[in-house]
Amino acid sequence: MNIIDAHIHFSNIRSFHETAKEQSFVDYSKKGIINEFEEAGVVLGIGMGLTETYGMGFPDPKTSTPMGLDLDSSLPNNIVYCAGINPYTLNNETLVLLENELQKDNVVGIKIYLGYYPFYAYDEIYHPVYALAEKYDVPVVFHTGDTYSERGLLKYSHPLTLDEVAVRFRKVRFVMAHFGDPWVLTGAEVVYKNSNMFADLSGLIVGTEIELMSYSEGRFLDHLRHALVYCDHYDRLLFGTDWPLAPIKPCIKFIQQLIPKKYHEDVFYNNAVKVFPKIKDKL
């Protein structure tokens, strides 16, 4: 089975380097991702555009919009990305830059970091971004749920806040990254209710294969199992790893245990093609 990893990182972010070195023990490099993709049968990865300056680290109010991938001077041929948005630098000038970015073949969506930046998804500052997403038929991916930084503010990343956006912008496809974890039952309701809302299952566990397997066997994921059954929309769920937070091959096994086998091809491949139509030319 060919697999699309719909949520990875490939940016020179301090916290990602630290996680790879101290928790997941992956080779966070161009060579590392190429090798992991090959071993796991991943044919395409979708990176989330993200950069930081040498100041306070991510979430960084000074980074430019749009944000790209800067871990290496060049991207592997099978990695595309979503242009990242910093609302503090979002203005008429950077909207022009974003529109130019969206016309590139390897830019397949837009990423908004709710919680990391203190703006709700429905804030008017993002409305021009949604207009561009509709114009170029690309999805908008939102970070939701727990933030990987103590400086994040959780009220902005709660999945219920996406309902208003989904209703107001019906022609735009939205992706709820991390399924809103730990508020996955709320996330499930927002996906269930709105036909233009999808969710990826990335970043649920940080660590090695040992952590992934130990958590999957206990009660830690009961809330997620409940939410998946409640949502009952495997046609709107996407596989993702949040690499380098965990190694790819064990992540595949981990999600396979949560998803009924008859839906594996949709969750691991077909749904990503539906949500990100620009990737068809890369497959």
Side-chain angles (χ1 to χ4, degrees), residues 201 234 237-239 255 259 263-269 271:
L201 302 176
Y234 296 100
L237 300 177
L238 289 72
F239 169 72
I255 298 299
I259 304 296
Y263 301 117
H264 280 188
E265 288 192 7
D266 286 338
V267 172
F268 285 92
Y269 187 88
N271 295 342

Side-chain angles (χ1 to χ4, degrees), residues 28-43:
Y28 188 45
S29 67
K30 183 176 181 179
K31 179 181 178 181
I33 191 70
I34 290 173
N35 289 340
E36 286 206 50
F37 274 6
E38 185 175 347
E39 292 174 2
V42 175
V43 296

